[in-house]
Amino acid sequence: MDEIEPTPVGKFVQSLRARLRSDDRNQHCLLKGEISQWKPYASGHTYFSLRDDGGQISAVIWKGRCRIPDGIKDGQEVLVIGSVDLYPARGQLQIVVERIELIQKIGAMEQQKQKLLLQLRQEGVLDRPRKSLPSFPKHLVIVTGKDSAALADMLQLSQSRWPGIRTTVVGVTVQGEKAVEEIVRGLAVARDLNRESIASSLAIPPCDIVIVGRGGGSPEDLWAFNLEAVARSIAAMPMPVISAVGHESDILVSDLVADVRASTPSHAVECCVPLVDGHLAYLLDCEDRMLQGTLRQFNDARQQLQQLTLRLQLAPSKGVSEAVRHLERLGSDLHQRTTAALQLHKQRLAVLGNALQISHPKRVLERGYMMGVDDKGKVISSVSELSKGQTVSLQFADGEADANIDNIRQHEEET
Amino acid sequence: MTEETYSDALRRLEAIVAELERGGMDLETTLQRFEEGSKLLERCQNELKEAEGRLENLRLPDAEAMIDEAKEE
């Protein structure tokens, strides 16, 4: 039989611890129980037991690891978020606490919050008209935790949106006993910065927008923003106030009384700091539209002018075409008249032709006359053209005959 | 911007743009509007570009001291 090598207990405990810690089910457990043996040590660590009627487990809050609610003591019911661990030195199973809240206190605070909301509603504070945010704030005042991550986020985002915005940060305590008083005083500074006289003596534009808020935390951390003094300060501000507390899901009294509720501090900056690039782009668009509009007006005017010119050009040519039509009318008239004239002329010619035919010498000859023609074919119309012994041709209608001239007798001229 | 705020100037500019886009004005009015719009545009652009952002990061007591000093003046 093989001899089994014994495990040193320390090694055993260590390996047990490793196995416990490697199981996700042992990490970040949400537990409810009662506190017993609450013992804060001088080292800063706090030890206690979490118990109920079914059992108990040791618990430790390492120094500074989580916020311990004020006035915590044995017997109080708490909610704990923590991870299971094994303390090797004593082999003790324990919960390492990551967060601890008093159940009773949460309930009491919630009651107080509801009571305040009811009162503010009755007074009309919740339903009062809200101030609208300036589209281009001149002076932003931020009341928030000094040197907080939320502030750093806000300033960075604001810078990237519009580097030109003037900002005054009033760094206050946002949780614990002093929180309410400091937030109220911070808001008072913002209100003073809104006053014309103070702004001008500081040579700055008056504050015209306020962000009041803080980053996320436990309900207790955020509690100051649920209290009456803060709510009333916000409601009484002369300029718009943006409440920006915690995360998306946290809704506090300050959110309900402010002019704008931002889901986170960064969202508050998005609400009020203009995106300058977007505005510049919009202005460019305006410029373009203005230019196009003006050009269109001028084009319209030019077109109108062109139309007028066209009509002017058209007006005389209208006269011309009428003239042409007139001419055409005249032309066709002329044609008709010419044709008629020609016709007449032809008829006249025909008549003349007839007359000519009638007066043709042959027609005369046919009536018994004859015509004497000399040897050159010239008609002899006078005896003086004749000489004795000359041969002339006597032309009859149906032939001719030669004849010799014997005697010439010329008639005496009649006076 | 001295008297007019940025938003006032922007509103007037938008009205002018709308008027010019609508048209139907005589040329002289068109030119007047265009010139007015150009001036507003320049003012708005300058407002955005030339604004020198200043950051005062104060703790509450310092902020209150600053206010007290201003009140005394």
Side-chain angles (χ1 to χ4, degrees):
Chain A
M1 189 174 165
D2 290 338
E3 205 177 326
I4 298 169
E5 192 72 25
T7 307
V9 69
K11 198 176 169 187
F12 173 75
V13 171
Q14 290 293 354
S15 110
L16 191 60
R17 186 184 192 209
R19 268 180 284 159
L20 272 173
R21 282 157 65 127
S22 66
D23 188 340
D24 281 347
R25 286 171 301 177
N26 295 333
Q27 303 294 312
H28 317 298
C29 311
L30 176 64
L31 308 171
K32 186 169 88 168
E34 192 180 286
I35 287 176
S36 72
Q37 297 166 299
W38 180 264
K39 254 184 213 160
Y41 278 72
S43 60
H45 310 313
T46 302
Y47 298 89
F48 66 100
S49 285
L50 193 63
R51 64 165 298 280
D52 62 14
D53 293 342
Q56 70 169 359
I57 190 168
S58 295
V60 59
I61 303 171
W62 298 124
K63 181 187 175 184
R65 191 66 61 84
C66 77
R67 215 184 64 79
I68 296 170
D70 296 334
I72 200 163
K73 57 180 193 270
D74 284 1
Q76 281 174 325
E77 274 221 294
V78 289
L79 282 179
V80 164
I81 295 175
S83 299
V84 181
D85 198 2
L86 188 68
Y87 180 45
R90 281 195 281 153
Q92 190 183 4
L93 208 58
Q94 60 182 10
I95 297 292
V96 177
V97 177
E98 290 147 13
R99 192 156 155 182
I100 179 166
E101 304 287 351
L102 290 170
I103 290 175
Q104 270 180 332
K105 193 164 180 191
I106 293 170
M109 286 197 303
E110 191 56 40
Q111 267 185 350
Q112 193 188 1
K113 175 183 170 182
Q114 293 307 326
K115 198 175 145 199
L116 175 60
L117 281 175
L118 188 70
Q119 194 185 342
L120 291 173
R121 192 175 300 282
Q122 280 170 349
E123 287 176 26
V125 175
L126 296 188
D127 304 321
R128 73 187 201 289
R130 297 301 199 264
K131 293 177 276 291
S132 56
L133 301 180
S135 56
F136 260 81
K138 289 188 165 62
H139 187 176
L140 164 67
V141 172
I142 302 177
V143 179
T144 193
K146 49 194 174 213
D147 308 324
S148 62
L151 174 60
D153 287 350
M154 284 193 273
L155 292 179
Q156 193 187 356
L157 185 61
S158 171
Q159 180 71 18
S160 74
R161 290 176 71 87
W162 185 27
I165 192 166
R166 168 178 283 274
T167 310
T168 301
V169 174
V170 183
V172 296
T173 304
V174 288
Q175 67 189 55
E177 285 165 17
K178 284 160 83 182
V180 172
E181 185 217 329
E182 289 206 3
I183 293 167
V184 169
R185 279 166 57 197
L187 288 169
V189 168
R191 196 169 51 237
D192 281 338
L193 285 172
N194 173 257
R195 284 164 56 182
E196 206 62 59
S197 59
I198 289 181
S200 71
S201 104
L202 291 170
I204 55 173
C207 159
D208 51 0
I209 178 81
V210 177
I211 296 175
V212 60
R214 54 154 295 157
S218 71
E220 277 187 305
D221 293 343
L222 309 183
W223 209 254
F225 294 89
N226 272 330
L227 296 180
E228 188 170 357
V230 170
R232 292 203 183 277
S233 282
I234 290 174
M237 294 292 269
M239 74 297 253
V241 179
I242 303 176
S243 167
V245 185
H247 301 302
E248 207 93 27
S249 55
D250 304 319
I251 296 185
L252 297 112
V253 175
S254 66
D255 292 329
L256 298 169
V257 296
D259 295 289
V260 172
R261 184 222 163 199
S263 53
T264 62
S266 296
H267 180 220
V269 168
E270 285 169 3
C271 288
C272 69
V273 180
L275 202 55
V276 77
D277 286 347
H279 274 267
L280 283 172
Y282 179 67
L283 286 177
L284 278 179
D285 183 54
C286 279
E287 185 174 21
D288 188 49
R289 284 165 58 197
M290 194 168 73
L291 211 63
Q292 294 303 326
T294 306
L295 280 177
R296 197 160 44 241
Q297 301 278 83
F298 272 80
N299 273 337
D300 285 354
R302 203 176 60 185
Q303 270 179 359
Q304 256 176 359
L305 198 67
Q306 280 176 341
Q307 270 174 359
L308 272 177
T309 314
L310 209 67
R311 271 164 65 185
L312 272 173
Q313 285 172 343
L314 223 74
S317 67
K318 198 171 165 187
V320 165
S321 73
E322 254 185 22
V324 167
R325 265 200 294 281
H326 183 62
L327 279 178
E328 278 174 352
R329 222 172 20 245
L330 280 179
S332 87
D333 258 18
L334 198 63
H335 179 67
Q336 275 180 356
R337 286 185 191 186
T338 315
T339 315
L342 278 174
Q343 206 67 31
L344 197 67
H345 201 60
K346 272 186 190 166
Q347 282 171 0
R348 276 190 189 160
L349 278 176
V351 172
L352 276 176
N354 280 342
L356 275 174
Q357 260 186 333
I358 289 165
S359 60
H360 194 275
K362 272 196 171 168
R363 299 292 171 273
V364 181
L365 298 180
E366 279 168 0
R367 281 186 277 156
Y369 297 94
M370 57 180 174
M371 187 169 63
V373 176
D374 62 16
D375 52 351
K376 289 168 186 132
K378 187 181 176 279
V379 177
I380 301 160
S381 55
S382 166
V383 287
S384 61
E385 290 170 41
L386 293 172
S387 50
K388 208 174 171 180
Q390 183 184 353
T391 303
V392 296
S393 167
L394 296 177
Q395 299 206 345
F396 296 83
D398 57 346
E400 50 197 50
D402 295 336
N404 285 317
I405 301 300
D406 285 338
N407 290 306
I408 301 170
R409 288 173 302 271
Q410 190 165 12
H411 295 287
E412 283 178 21
E413 260 179 65
E414 290 173 17
T415 56
Chain B
M1 248 170 236
T2 50
E3 290 297 311
E4 262 177 341
T5 66
Y6 178 88
S7 2
D8 289 339
L10 190 62
R11 258 197 295 281
R12 176 72 189 133
L13 175 63
E14 282 168 337
I16 287 174
V17 169
E19 216 177 350
L20 285 172
E21 284 189 324
R22 206 180 310 124
M25 290 181 290
D26 57 67
L27 287 188
E28 201 177 331
T29 317
T30 302
L31 266 183
Q32 278 173 1
R33 294 288 185 280
F34 180 74
E35 275 168 19
E36 190 189 347
S38 301
K39 278 177 194 152
L40 287 167
L41 194 79
E42 202 184 326
R43 285 169 65 181
C44 286
Q45 283 170 333
N46 287 345
E47 175 88 352
L48 298 187
K49 286 178 186 165
E50 289 171 10
E52 279 179 61
R54 287 274 302 278
L55 171 66
E56 297 279 359
N57 197 343
L58 305 170
R59 286 164 187 267
L60 180 63
D62 301 329
E64 284 174 331
M66 177 182 78
I67 296 292
D68 287 343
E69 216 169 287
K71 276 179 181 168
E72 277 166 23
E73 271 181 31

